Amino acid sequence: MNLLEAVRLVAARELKVKLRDKTFLFSTLFFLLFAAASTVLPALFAGGPSTVAVAQSSPYEGRLRDAGLKVKIAADPERLVRDRDADAAVVDKGASNGSVPEVLAMKSAPNDVVRALSTPPEVRLLDPDAVNELVAFLVPFMFALVFFFTSLTFGVQIAQSVTEEKQTRMVEILVAAVPVRALLIGKVAAGGILALAQVALIALVSVAGAQFTGDAGSLLPLLAPAMSWFVPFFVLGFVMLASLWAAVGALVNRLEDVANAGMPVQLAVMAPFFLVIFLQDNPVAMRVLSYVPLSAPTAMPVRLFDGDAAGWEPFVSLVLLALAAAGALLAGARIYEGSLLRTNGRTSWAAAWRDRELRSL
């Protein structure tokens, strides 16, 4: 059996096991429900446009309808408000120099009605292509959050899977059937497929929710370039970190020790997350972070969203990340091979790196 066939066999086994895991299925369902709720519920709770009562042939009817408000024609508009059949009424107060509208409401002024009747001043935007400040904050946060939680969650699961196989001595059977390196690559490949599928499902649900509420039209064209680049950056970044997590799992013999052994990798995941969040308004820092492999999966898509990156920059950053991922895969494989069959307690990183006992397997 060659390496490719062995990797395919291990990946298929990992996928079957994971897809039957109730914890994984429930977590995926939870994230999907959260994504749907976060896009749909705010629009539902916000309520629809106000219902406005006006008299027959009211001079304000057209302006109210143009603003998207629901207009009811009534002989006594005020009565509809008192009977709760309308949120507000607009009547003609009259004045010596023409008509003056008066808004009638029960307890609070309906802002959408007031805006429809107001004459806004002329506005000239000096930066018409600028992104909304809230969106400009949330997009970097979401890119960082998705990569942080996905790489951490699936990485820990890969480490726990390796440790569990050591703890149950199943690994001794597995290495007799397939090369040790194939076990590592197969687990990383399966984890990457599941992680990317989960992120894609969450993205689809979020986009569907935005389409339902009508918020997708203006935001999706802005997000599309960054999201298309986020996929290859996510895949390579996940491979880089998952390789190290698999090595962490091979270093220990008990599931309880995974957290302590994986502390260096956890810090490597957390640092870029907080750096991108806190330094997103610093162009120099973001430029540097977009070329650092640990932070590039989030920093470069954020710069592409903000329009701060030149056309050649994501290609250079992606090449650097690919080299780092290949290096992490080789380093992780060496540590993995040097510690997988050790059962005499926790193995140090240095000892696993030096051990070549399993190279011939």
Side-chain angles (χ1 to χ4, degrees):
M1 181 184 299
N2 60 38
L3 181 63
L4 184 59
E5 292 176 349
V7 169
R8 188 184 300 115
L9 183 64
V10 173
R13 173 183 173 274
E14 292 292 323
L15 288 172
K16 289 179 182 178
V17 171
K18 207 64 183 174
L19 291 175
R20 294 172 183 171
D21 184 0
K22 292 183 179 179
T23 302
F24 170 75
L25 296 176
F26 280 128
S27 66
T28 302
L29 180 61
F30 169 79
F31 284 125
L32 293 178
L33 292 175
F34 179 80
S38 62
T39 52
V40 175
L41 290 182
L44 293 179
F45 287 133
S50 297
T51 301
V52 189
V54 297
Q56 184 73 35
S57 303
S58 171
Y60 313 110
E61 179 183 352
R63 293 166 63 181
L64 295 170
R65 291 188 186 278
D66 291 342
L69 302 175
K70 300 176 183 178
V71 178
K72 287 186 176 182
I73 308 299
D76 187 359
E78 182 178 341
R79 174 57 57 187
L80 264 65
V81 178
R82 294 186 179 277
D83 293 342
R84 308 291 183 177
D85 292 328
D87 300 311
V90 178
V91 297
D92 190 357
K93 190 175 181 180
S96 58
N97 58 347
S99 300
V100 176
E102 182 180 23
V103 178
L104 307 177
M106 290 299 296
K107 294 183 178 180
S108 60
N111 293 328
D112 51 356
V113 177
V114 174
R115 285 194 300 268
L117 296 173
S118 302
T119 302
E122 183 179 350
V123 177
R124 182 167 60 92
L125 299 178
L126 300 178
D127 188 7
D129 297 327
V131 180
N132 179 275
E133 291 185 2
L134 179 61
V135 174
F137 169 78
L138 288 179
V139 169
F141 181 78
M142 291 308 298
F143 277 132
L145 192 68
V146 167
F147 184 73
F148 171 73
F149 273 109
T150 305
S151 59
L152 185 61
T153 301
F154 282 90
V156 171
Q157 290 176 0
I158 290 173
Q160 291 175 340
S161 174
V162 174
T163 304
E164 187 177 359
E165 290 173 355
K166 285 188 65 176
Q167 197 170 17
T168 59
R169 310 300 289 267
M170 183 181 293
V171 68
E172 298 175 9
I173 300 174
L174 293 174
V175 298
V178 296
V180 176
R181 187 163 296 190
L183 288 177
L184 171 71
I185 300 175
K187 287 182 178 294
V188 171
I193 291 171
L194 291 172
L196 191 60
Q198 190 178 80
V199 171
L201 285 174
I202 293 172
L204 288 174
V205 170
S206 300
V207 170
Q211 293 281 6
F212 175 77
T213 59
D215 295 332
S218 59
L219 188 58
L220 283 181
L222 297 174
L223 277 173
M227 290 178 66
S228 61
W229 275 106
F230 180 67
V231 173
F233 275 97
F234 174 87
V235 172
L236 291 175
F238 183 88
V239 169
M240 176 179 61
L241 293 173
S243 303
L244 300 179
W245 276 114
V248 167
L251 291 174
V252 298
N253 296 321
R254 302 184 308 164
L255 291 174
E256 296 84 358
D257 297 331
V258 170
N260 288 333
M263 187 58 66
V265 185
Q266 291 185 46
L267 293 175
V269 176
M270 293 174 63
F273 172 75
F274 290 109
L275 286 174
V276 171
I277 295 300
F278 291 131
L279 299 177
Q280 59 177 297
D281 294 329
N282 188 324
V284 176
M286 289 297 291
R287 185 177 298 111
V288 173
L289 290 174
S290 65
Y291 291 104
V292 177
L294 288 172
S295 54
T298 52
M300 183 55 78
V302 168
R303 290 187 62 213
L304 290 168
F305 173 76
D306 292 336
D308 294 335
W312 55 269
E313 290 192 74
F315 294 99
V316 175
S317 178
L318 196 63
V319 170
L320 294 176
L321 180 58
L323 293 175
L329 187 60
L330 292 175
R334 178 164 177 163
I335 295 171
Y336 186 84
E337 293 174 348
S339 57
L340 187 61
L341 294 183
R342 285 174 173 260
T343 57
N344 55 345
R346 176 176 168 179
T347 307
S348 68
W349 291 84
W353 181 265
R354 291 193 304 266
D355 194 344
R356 297 176 179 272
E357 179 182 348
L358 298 178
R359 301 290 172 188
S360 61
L361 291 178

